[in-house]
Amino acid sequence: DHLKLRFFNSTNFKAGFEVATSSGDMIASSVADDFAIRSQSNILFSSGGNTERMRIDNAGNVSIGNAKGNSITTNTELAIYGGEGADAIIQLLADNADNTADFFAMRQLASGNFTMGHHTGSGFNDALVIAPYSSGNNVGIGTASPLDILDLKASDPHLRFIDSSDSDKTWRVGVANNEFRIQEDSLVIDGSGNVGIGGDPVAQLTLTDATSPSLAFEESNEGTHDKLWLQSVFEHDLIHQVRFDNNGGGNQYMVIN
């Protein structure tokens, strides 16, 4: 009931395996009933001929798809080799009982790019691309060819910031209809460089408000804050007054009717 096989070169132990019956049999950390395999050097695995498919080197590093011996396992705990001119792929598949071939994949492409994404059964849909060689570690989300430090590509690309210290309030920054937008219409810059605050710009600078759009100029000097307000008052969709006043409703310097 104590199965074991050991290989020696002369009197030197080289390799062996056994079903442990007590702690420390064959391998120091084994316990009873463990199946222990031990080699004094590398352990190689092959299938379909004599081509190496997997290796555990004598430092404990593992390589899969290895055709180059130790050259890709040195100082690497796990190495996946795709072969000359081929991609190296790790797939993560969770069975959700719908009989589909969907899985998540991480790929090191033969081009050098690293990608993470989803495979739908008909092809890879890369959500994240890192291009270390062609573009100097640029990152792409939604694009396989990032040309800047971070490229976002979508029909309506946006970044959303969530402030967990303030009830998860959010701010969105992005592009829509060839316009750069902050918080939807809070700030809009169109393709011609026109700026809109509160809505789309129709001139170099457009202030949009439901009632009375205003512009304030503030000077901070020796602890005081003085403001000069420029405010338009609308009536029946026409400008009724343009006011210049101090601190938005204090002393009025000029009113144009």
Side-chain angles (χ1 to χ4, degrees):
D1 61 353
H2 188 190
L3 176 63
K4 61 181 176 180
L5 180 63
R6 300 191 177 200
F7 300 91
F8 291 83
N9 182 358
S10 184
T11 59
N12 297 318
F13 173 82
K14 294 298 183 181
F17 61 82
E18 70 176 281
V19 177
T21 58
S22 60
S23 298
D25 283 349
M26 186 66 72
I27 297 174
S29 58
S30 69
V31 296
D33 296 328
D34 282 349
F35 182 59
I37 302 173
R38 174 180 165 186
S39 171
Q40 297 299 90
S41 186
N42 304 325
I43 300 178
L44 310 183
F45 300 84
S46 177
S47 63
N50 67 349
T51 300
E52 182 179 329
R53 304 299 185 188
M54 187 173 78
R55 165 187 298 248
I56 305 173
D57 69 16
N58 55 15
N61 301 318
V62 178
S63 64
I64 299 174
N66 191 349
K68 294 190 174 183
N70 269 349
S71 62
I72 68 168
T73 60
T74 304
N75 298 322
T76 303
E77 287 77 9
L78 175 62
I80 309 295
Y81 181 67
E84 293 290 343
D87 303 338
I89 304 173
I90 296 177
Q91 298 178 1
L92 304 176
L93 176 62
D95 187 358
N96 59 5
D98 63 357
N99 296 319
T100 64
D102 296 357
F103 55 82
F104 185 81
M106 293 180 287
R107 300 188 297 159
Q108 174 72 47
L109 305 185
S111 65
N113 289 356
F114 174 77
T115 75
M116 298 175 65
H118 184 241
H119 192 288
T120 62
S122 59
F124 288 99
N125 181 19
D126 292 324
L128 176 69
V129 175
I130 302 175
Y133 300 116
S134 61
S135 58
N137 289 323
N138 290 343
V139 176
I141 299 176
T143 175
S145 303
L147 300 178
D148 232 317
I149 296 175
L150 175 62
D151 279 5
L152 304 181
K153 183 178 180 180
S155 59
D156 185 16
H158 278 82
L159 286 175
R160 187 162 73 119
F161 300 90
I162 304 173
D163 187 356
S164 62
S165 66
D166 191 8
S167 303
D168 285 350
K169 291 181 179 177
T170 63
W171 277 83
R172 298 180 79 229
V173 178
V175 177
N177 301 320
N178 197 33
E179 295 176 336
F180 176 76
R181 295 174 176 266
I182 297 178
Q183 198 68 353
E184 307 305 341
D185 293 335
S186 294
L187 176 67
V188 180
I189 304 175
D190 68 16
S192 299
N194 297 325
V195 177
I197 298 176
D200 292 337
V202 296
Q204 287 180 307
L205 176 61
T206 304
L207 305 182
T208 303
D209 185 75
T211 55
S212 302
S214 60
L215 181 63
F217 302 88
E218 180 174 5
E219 179 185 4
S220 175
N221 184 22
E222 296 181 357
T224 62
H225 294 267
D226 295 325
K227 296 179 181 178
L228 176 64
W229 288 71
L230 170 61
Q231 183 179 41
S232 296
V233 180
F234 286 81
E235 186 175 286
H236 305 302
D237 295 330
L238 298 175
I239 295 179
H240 179 60
Q241 289 182 343
V242 178
R243 298 174 179 170
F244 292 85
D245 63 49
N246 179 30
N247 289 320
N251 297 322
Q252 293 185 354
Y253 299 143
M254 183 171 62
V255 177
I256 303 174
N257 289 311

